[in-house]
Amino acid sequence: MREIVLFGRDVLREKCRPLEPGKDDVLLQVLLRDMKRILAGHDGLGLAGPQAGEAVCVFIAGEDTGLPLGGHTVFVNPGIELFGPVIRGEEGCLSFPGVYADVERSQGVRVKAFDEHWAPFTLDITGLGARLVQHEYDHLGGILLVDRMGALKRRLLRNRLRKIREESC
Ligand SMILES: [Zn+2]
């Protein structure tokens, strides 16, 4: 049974590998089940594969976020293109319990991905949905909230981050 992976564990820093149709179908289905369970049990908008302990290219959005994601909640092997101005906004992350920080993100994102049945789709998303996609996409490259926040904020959160690291090991 997979559980939420906290900051400090190596898998969060790995570069994720793409999933392969056929070969990875069982892994994907079981992983998605676990990811949905983890996300439902926490107060988060989205979750990426490494946060469930698997360095593979998939992330999910919660089913009741109300975000305009075209009805999509599963993003397999995503690619993104950014558009629009850069906007600062607050973000949290289930791998950083209790930590919130302002992060600069593009207002819009075009995401190309596959759903859980390997049907391809393309979406243009703006606003909070675009922020979610950029945050989760970061996870697939081993980039974390702590890398995106300002140096001052990171210093202010030093003790909290150390505590999460200790709890994660
Ligand atoms: Zn996150």
Side-chain angles (χ1 to χ4, degrees), residues 10-27:
D10 291 344
V11 67
L12 290 179
R13 288 304 193 181
E14 282 180 41
K15 194 159 166 26
C16 291
R17 72 167 176 87
L19 287 152
E20 286 182 44
K23 183 170 163 278
D24 288 321
D25 283 355
V26 173
L27 168 66

Side-chain angles (χ1 to χ4, degrees), residues 12 46-48 51 91-96 135-136 139 143-145:
L12 290 179
L47 192 77
Q51 295 180 281
E91 288 182 20
C93 179
L94 292 185
S95 295
F96 294 82
H135 177 105
E136 302 307 336
H139 274 294
I143 301 167
L144 300 174
L145 182 61

Side-chain angles (χ1 to χ4, degrees), residues 4-143:
I4 183 71
V5 171
L6 297 181
F7 175 57
R9 293 260 310 273
D10 291 344
V11 67
L12 290 179
R13 288 304 193 181
E14 282 180 41
K15 194 159 166 26
C16 291
R17 72 167 176 87
L19 287 152
E20 286 182 44
K23 183 170 163 278
D24 288 321
D25 283 355
V26 173
L27 168 66
L28 178 60
Q29 293 312 317
V30 176
L31 179 58
L32 284 173
R33 188 199 61 199
D34 289 350
M35 288 173 70
K36 287 174 183 177
R37 180 179 46 76
I38 291 171
L39 186 58
H42 293 80
D43 185 24
L45 295 177
L47 192 77
Q51 295 180 281
E54 296 286 342
V56 294
C57 289
V58 60
F59 65 80
I60 63 170
E63 277 164 19
D64 51 4
T65 61
L67 295 173
L69 300 174
H72 288 282
T73 58
V74 174
F75 299 76
V76 177
N77 294 351
I80 64 169
E81 287 169 43
L82 307 175
F83 61 84
V86 169
I87 294 176
R88 185 177 276 273
E90 192 176 66
E91 288 182 20
C93 179
L94 292 185
S95 295
F96 294 82
V99 170
Y100 298 90
D102 278 351
V103 177
E104 290 188 341
R105 301 284 188 191
S106 292
Q107 185 190 41
V109 64
R110 168 169 290 182
V111 56
K112 293 184 180 183
F114 299 86
D115 70 13
E116 66 248 72
H117 307 297
W118 290 106
F121 62 93
T122 302
L123 279 179
D124 286 338
I125 309 166
T126 57
L128 188 55
R131 180 169 292 278
L132 165 77
V133 166
Q134 290 169 78
H135 177 105
E136 302 307 336
Y137 184 81
D138 266 357
H139 274 294
L140 307 184
I143 301 167

